[in-house]
Amino acid sequence: MSTASLYRFSGIILLISVGLNLVASIWPFLVDTSLNAPMSELQSPQWATFYSLSFIIFVLLLIGLPAMYLRQSGERGGKMGLIGLFLYLVGIFLKMATIAFFVSVIPLLAKQSPEVIDPIYESNFAIFPLGGMLLCLIGFILLGSAVIRAKVYPTFVGVLIIVSALFDVAQVAFQDGTSFAIVNLLFSISIALALGSVGKSLASGQKLAG
């Protein structure tokens, strides 16, 4: 596969990922997807569907994001961008591990042994969601800063990448259904605008700057 074809493929993957992410952002308005969701919600197919869709989105990001970095790797902020990308990808792996647990184990526990769910959340298992969140935050701040410095993509792309990281972390503070849904929607919109612009650039072969 040529470099141009690889960029085009990665751009399409990023566009699909942000499209699915916008679709997924509707779910929290229909069902409580927060960690404080009632047991009846944890057993709902809608709850499992949301996290399964999130898992797919993360897989697509793992495929598409490296090309975003490679496009600007020779410019200013190259090392910063590489470190940021690496931390974000590791964070995604931790989040994927968390989602796999949520989808496969939590609904079963909610049905048979709901009293053990809170102790699990408070145990060493917390390193997966919290570690993933922290690594994604630091990773996207560094990657967004590198985008701003490199000037290969428009400046707003870097700014929105950083903003989306802050919204991602803010979801932890807003665990009631409506607040979580609103913050999740803001995260989805900001990341869609940023990575959608990158995906369009890669897929079309354009070299944006500004």
Side-chain angles (χ1 to χ4, degrees), residues 34-52:
S34 67
L35 296 182
N36 292 335
M39 295 300 162
S40 59
E41 297 283 20
L42 297 182
Q43 300 175 56
S44 168
Q46 295 282 7
W47 196 85
T49 299
F50 171 78
Y51 282 104
S52 297

Side-chain angles (χ1 to χ4, degrees), residues 101-144:
F101 178 80
F102 279 174
V103 173
S104 62
V105 177
I106 291 298
L108 183 62
L109 291 178
K111 182 178 181 180
Q112 298 184 355
S113 304
E115 70 278 359
V116 306
I117 292 181
D118 285 340
I120 288 177
Y121 285 162
E122 297 167 1
S123 69
N124 292 334
F125 171 77
I127 192 174
F128 288 94
L130 295 179
M133 178 189 66
L134 180 60
L135 289 175
C136 286
L137 171 64
I138 298 173
F140 251 15
I141 289 177
L142 293 177
L143 184 59

Side-chain angles (χ1 to χ4, degrees), residues 86 88 90-91 128 140 153 176 188 195 205-206 209:
F86 175 76
Y88 188 78
V90 173
F128 288 94
F140 251 15
Y153 305 106
D176 66 279
S188 299
L195 296 188
Q206 296 175 343

Side-chain angles (χ1 to χ4, degrees), residues 61-74:
L61 288 176
L62 287 174
I63 298 172
L65 281 177
M68 172 186 173
Y69 164 74
L70 290 175
R71 186 73 172 275
Q72 66 172 36
S73 59

Side-chain angles (χ1 to χ4, degrees), residues 183-207:
V183 175
N184 179 263
L185 178 62
L186 293 174
F187 163 76
S188 299
I189 292 174
S190 59
I191 199 68
L193 291 173
L195 296 188
S197 177
V198 173
K200 181 181 178 182
S201 171
L202 293 174
S204 63
Q206 296 175 343
K207 186 172 183 179

Side-chain angles (χ1 to χ4, degrees), residues 7-37:
Y7 282 154
R8 189 174 299 109
F9 173 75
S10 298
I12 294 172
I13 291 296
L14 284 178
L15 289 174
I16 294 174
S17 71
V18 298
L20 290 177
N21 199 35
L22 287 174
V23 172
S25 68
I26 300 173
W27 252 260
F29 289 98
L30 304 176
V31 59
D32 189 349
T33 58
S34 67
L35 296 182
N36 292 335

